[in-house]
């Protein structure tokens, strides 16, 4: 039986369905069955020596025996949910004494599954000595493409909100996320993925030592403050983030700009939060 051609409108419908299910990225031309990858013990030997028959009377010195590298062995599957990876991330982060070291450690960390599907590591934006540090949730598609946090529509709203109290990325605020890689299809990150990134984010806050910390949205607020309270209860009330040396950083949980875009009526409450941040900065000056 001949293959039935699929009508273009049906192909488009299939693609739309994929996107609705969160499959909005291609990460390779061919599918890879990761369950079928060989174990490291069965991996082929990396280098083989090509056999050349012995020459009876070599007219000139024999050419060096060519070495032929076998194709690289597929990377063995790593158990990406191991609690050990969270510990590894914590140890690595704690060993970083400068921001440059921390950024390099995040960029070279291979323990987080999110990195495998992301295009870029999204570390931070703004000047590190800014008085305010904003921590959001996770890079979206625009941030993943450009490698910078909060550059899409919610980032533009974030910039306008901060600018309303005189803060810009050119010196007023520094911005990052609790996750450094975009979850595919913006899915909810697993607890292990959050734990690994949070280890780096906690060190990030230690190294920046902002005057005021702003947590944008419920996911960031719950993770950083280590609380089960939702953003509706947390927002607008000063919390405190304690650094390793006991310093308390005034911390304001507030709505995420993506929520404000969906629920413009909540902008009034966000404006109150912004005014509270502005006043706190004046009081601390
Ligand atoms: N939302 C976030 O929480 N962070 C970004 O960087 C972009 C959108």
């Amino acid at each position: 039986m001949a293959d039935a051609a699929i009508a273009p409108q049906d192909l488009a419908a299939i693609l739309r369905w994929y996107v609705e299910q969160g499959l909005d990225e291609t990460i390779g031309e061919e599918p890879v069955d990761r369950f079928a990858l060989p174990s490291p013990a069965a991996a082929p030997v990396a280098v083989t020596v090509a056999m050349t028959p012995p020459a009876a009377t070599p007219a000139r010195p024999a050419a060096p025996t060519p070495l032929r590298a076998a194709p690289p062995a597929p990377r063995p599957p790593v158990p990406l949910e191991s609690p050990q990876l969270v510990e590894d991330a914590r140890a690595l982060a704690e060993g970083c004494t400068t921001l440059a070291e921390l950024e390099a450690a995040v960029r070279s960390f291979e323990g987080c599954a999110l990195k495998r599907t992301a295009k870029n590591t999204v570390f931070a934006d703004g000047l590190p000595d800014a008085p305010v540090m904003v921590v959001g949730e996770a890079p979206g598609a625009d941030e993943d493409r450009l490698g910078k946090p909060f550059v899409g529509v919610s980032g533009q709203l974030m910039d306008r909100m901060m600018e309303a109290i005189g803060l810009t990325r050119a010196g007023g605020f520094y911005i990052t996320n609790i996750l450094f890689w975009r979850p595919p299809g913006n899915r909810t990150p697993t607890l292990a993925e959050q734990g690994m990134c949070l280890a780096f984010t906690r060190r990030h806050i230690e190294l920046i030592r902002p005057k005021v910390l702003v947590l944008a949205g419920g996911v960031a607020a719950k993770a950083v403050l280590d609380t089960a309270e939702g953003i509706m209860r947390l927002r607008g009330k000063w919390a405190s983030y304690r650094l390793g040396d006991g310093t308390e950083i005034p911390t304001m949980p507030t709505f995420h700009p993506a929520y404000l875009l969906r629920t413009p009526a909540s902008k009034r409450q966000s404006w109150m939060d912004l005014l509270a941040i502005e006043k706190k900065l004046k009081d601390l000056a």
Side-chain angles (χ1 to χ4, degrees):
M1 191 173 72
D3 285 347
I6 303 178
Q9 66 271 26
D10 291 342
L11 283 173
I14 293 169
L15 279 176
R16 263 197 311 278
W17 183 79
Y18 278 158
V19 171
E20 279 159 17
Q21 301 308 309
L23 302 172
D24 61 355
E25 296 280 336
T26 52
I27 57 170
E29 293 296 321
E30 300 292 335
V32 177
D33 181 355
R34 296 189 185 277
F35 293 103
L37 296 180
S39 69
V45 178
V47 173
T48 56
V49 178
M51 299 298 289
T52 41
T57 44
R60 42 195 169 124
T65 308
L67 289 180
R68 183 160 40 86
R75 192 159 50 167
V78 178
L80 285 166
E81 284 303 300
S82 155
Q84 183 56 46
L85 288 167
V86 180
E87 283 311 311
D88 291 352
R90 197 168 296 144
L92 196 58
E94 274 166 16
C96 296
T97 55
T98 64
L99 201 58
E101 279 176 20
L102 184 74
E103 179 166 0
V106 168
R107 290 188 185 281
S108 63
F109 186 67
E110 296 296 335
C112 187
L114 299 176
K115 188 177 185 184
R116 305 208 171 167
T117 47
K119 290 190 181 76
N120 274 304
T121 298
V122 178
F123 185 70
D125 196 23
L127 295 183
D129 57 359
V132 174
M133 177 175 190
V134 179
V135 180
E137 183 181 334
D142 293 321
E143 290 76 19
D144 184 39
R145 194 164 39 82
L146 298 174
K148 269 192 186 184
F150 283 97
V151 288
V153 270
S154 44
Q156 288 156 20
L157 176 56
M158 169 70 79
D159 285 348
R160 286 201 300 278
M161 287 163 61
M162 299 301 273
E163 219 173 323
I165 55 165
L167 302 175
T168 67
R169 298 192 195 202
F173 71 100
Y174 176 87
I175 191 161
T176 185
N177 285 302
I178 54 167
L179 296 175
F180 299 100
W181 299 280
R182 180 194 182 206
N186 298 338
R187 73 159 164 78
T188 307
T190 67
L191 288 180
E193 288 162 353
Q194 286 193 41
M196 283 174 236
C197 290
L198 198 56
F200 290 110
T201 301
R202 291 201 185 286
R203 190 75 190 131
H204 207 165
I205 300 170
E206 292 271 343
L207 292 170
I208 294 290
R209 292 181 80 85
K211 287 200 171 76
V212 167
L213 182 61
V214 175
L215 304 174
V219 175
K222 280 180 173 178
V224 173
L225 297 175
D226 196 15
T227 176
E229 291 273 29
I231 190 66
M232 292 296 170
R233 280 180 184 278
L234 294 171
R235 72 136 284 279
K237 297 188 201 110
W238 284 106
S240 185
Y241 185 84
R242 182 185 288 243
L243 301 183
D245 65 0
T247 306
E248 303 276 354
I249 307 284
T251 300
M252 176 58 79
T254 191
F255 289 138
H256 193 286
Y259 170 78
L260 295 175
L261 288 169
R262 293 192 303 271
T263 324
S266 299
K267 283 186 183 167
R268 211 183 125 267
Q269 287 162 296
S270 290
W271 178 236
M272 306 307 283
D273 301 349
L274 288 168
L275 292 178
I277 294 165
E278 186 182 37
K279 176 166 185 322
K280 179 68 76 182
L281 289 170
K282 281 199 184 117
D283 292 349
L284 293 171

